[in-house]
Amino acid sequence: METMKLERNKRLKKLALWTWTWVATLAIATFGPMFIWDDNSLLTYFAIIVNLSNGILMILANRDLFNHFDELEKKIHLESMAISLGLGLVFGLTFSLLDQLDIIPFDADISFLVMFIAITYMITLFINKRRFK
């Protein structure tokens, strides 16, 4: 049991590392052309490729952690992800339609969708953990 806990912590730390490096490289790719390298397209492409690579490694680390879950944990996370994906798709497309028809006074930026999916996932994960307790 103690070995499983140590292995879980190791995988969580690996996921945290790749998540933070992905966020850092995203910030560099976003703000670098404006504030660091003065719109040098070669450096911009390089920063985007590094960010994409970090994103892929983050996904692999998440998959590695997910494969370490027991069956109940997998069920809880899968159900939470399914609900988040479905709601994200439905509300994302509705939000985009509202923007295209100029019904909302602001642009339907992708960051709204990312925040919506993240919040939905956290809420459904919390509910499912309580439900299967």
Side-chain angles (χ1 to χ4, degrees), residues 2 23 29 31 41 50 59-60 65-66 77-79 90 95-97 99 101 107 109:
E2 189 64 32
V23 170
F31 299 113
S41 57
V50 169
I59 291 167
L60 292 175
L65 176 66
F66 196 83
H77 282 271
L78 269 175
E79 194 168 308
V90 170
F95 193 49
S96 174
L97 183 62
D99 183 30
L101 298 174
D107 290 332
D109 196 55

Side-chain angles (χ1 to χ4, degrees), residues 4 73 113:
M4 279 185 65
E73 290 172 314
L113 183 61

Side-chain angles (χ1 to χ4, degrees), residues 11-57:
R11 290 171 194 233
L12 270 172
K13 286 177 184 171
K14 184 178 162 188
L15 176 60
L17 173 74
W18 284 117
T19 302
W20 283 111
T21 57
W22 176 72
V23 170
T25 57
L26 181 63
I28 291 170
T30 302
F31 299 113
M34 291 180 278
F35 301 114
I36 300 173
W37 55 77
D38 221 11
D39 284 331
N40 182 325
S41 57
L42 180 66
L43 289 175
T44 302
Y45 290 131
F46 179 72
I48 290 170
I49 289 170
V50 169
N51 176 252
L52 180 65
S53 302
N54 275 280
I56 291 169
L57 291 169

